[in-house]
Amino acid sequence: MFSKWVFCGFVYFLLGFLNLVEFCSGGITSSYVRNDDLSLDMPLDSDVFRVPPGYNAPQQVHITQGDHEGRGVIISWITPDEPGSNTVVYWAEDSKLKGSANGVVLTYKYFNYTSGYIHHCKIKNLKFDTKYYYEVGIGNTTRQFWFITPPKVGPDAPYTFGLIGDLGQTHDSNRTLTHYESNPVKGQTVLFVGDLSYADDYPFHDNTRWDTWSRFIERNAAHQPWIWTAGNHELDFDPEIVLSLCLPYSIKKRVDLISVISVLIITVVTLLQGETKPFKPYTSRFFVPFRASESTSPLWYSIKRASAYVIILSSYSAYGKNS
């Protein structure tokens, strides 16, 4: 009997508290009002999403650190029509001697999407504090970029990092990247703290929005390393993705034998074809040097760069005892 009255008293207290919260007003602390139009994604025909000209031209070019101390670079790009060349040609600004390195090529499928040919190539044993040029592609579709390696690791090595997260591909995203690029205190490397393309906001995690996002950031990410970590928008774990395709139709129908059979079929198909591998698009598109720091996963690793020791941890990755 006592516990019953205690429980009833707690319920009344909770209702009263919620009522108080509902009618409580904190007042106005700022005159700023967010403009909803600025948070819309840029349309697919935006110039920042433009595909480079030429058949099978490399696109979505981006780089990241390729080793533990900054003498290596991982160069990534996509060819849309066929694998093409997986070779990177590179040379120092003050040298005519060219080197080359061969990478790997992979593709992935996500629900009804099949990626282009994703290239990852690591070049290593570079000189510190040196400007390098590099080329990807072949023939008339060869594209050239450059980057600058960091100074040698040490406590007094000056270096400037940019910090970006939750970028997406809205009009505000474009303003954010432009602001970073035009800042008089020039950032030399971006520490990206997760939530990249927001492709998962679209029906069926529309992976074409990964392609548009990677073309959008190319203007900067092809010239300076972006150090990646994954956020919740990179999970792309959706074992019931097929069910969401047919559910709106089922809701409109009256529950009858056909509906029941349809649900059973959908359930079986879902179990067979659902997206159950977390981080699939992210880990396919963005290679990181996790093995250089003796990590067992690309979702946590570390690098040294100039005077900084950077530890990258994705709080959304699986973990266990002693991990």
Side-chain angles (χ1 to χ4, degrees), residues 198-217:
Y198 284 79
D200 64 329
D201 280 350
Y202 283 83
F204 318 119
H205 300 228
D206 184 2
N207 272 224
T208 59
R209 278 293 180 171
W210 274 109
D211 294 318
T212 55
W213 189 81
S214 297
R215 289 197 293 269
F216 161 53
I217 66 163

Side-chain angles (χ1 to χ4, degrees), residues 58-65 72-78 85-103 119-124 126 130-139 141-149 188 214-215 217-226 228 305:
Q59 58 174 267
Q60 307 176 45
V61 182
H62 56 269
I63 66 174
T64 193
Q65 185 158 314
V73 172
I74 297 173
I75 300 171
S76 303
W77 71 97
I78 287 181
S85 172
N86 65 345
T87 300
V88 173
V89 177
Y90 62 96
W91 63 97
E93 184 179 39
D94 58 356
S95 174
K96 295 183 179 179
L97 182 64
K98 293 186 177 181
S100 64
N102 295 322
H119 302 250
H120 300 289
C121 181
K122 181 168 71 174
I123 57 179
K124 53 188 179 180
L126 303 173
T130 302
K131 185 173 184 177
Y132 283 87
Y133 293 91
Y134 68 96
E135 291 180 345
V136 292
I138 53 177
T141 58
T142 298
R143 302 184 67 199
Q144 185 181 113
F145 304 90
W146 57 266
F147 61 85
I148 299 174
T149 54
Q188 296 166 280
S214 297
R215 289 197 293 269
I217 66 163
E218 181 189 85
R219 72 196 203 209
N220 186 269
H223 298 283
Q224 62 175 251
W226 285 35
W228 305 106
R305 196 165 185 87

Side-chain angles (χ1 to χ4, degrees), residues 13 38 55-56 98 101 125 140 142 166-167 183 187 208 214 222 230 235 267 285 289 304:
F13 169 78
L38 297 180
Y55 172 76
N56 207 40
K98 293 186 177 181
N125 298 324
N140 295 330
T142 298
D166 300 271
L167 185 59
N183 195 309
T208 59
S214 297
L235 276 167
T267 302
R285 292 171 178 268
K304 297 178 181 178

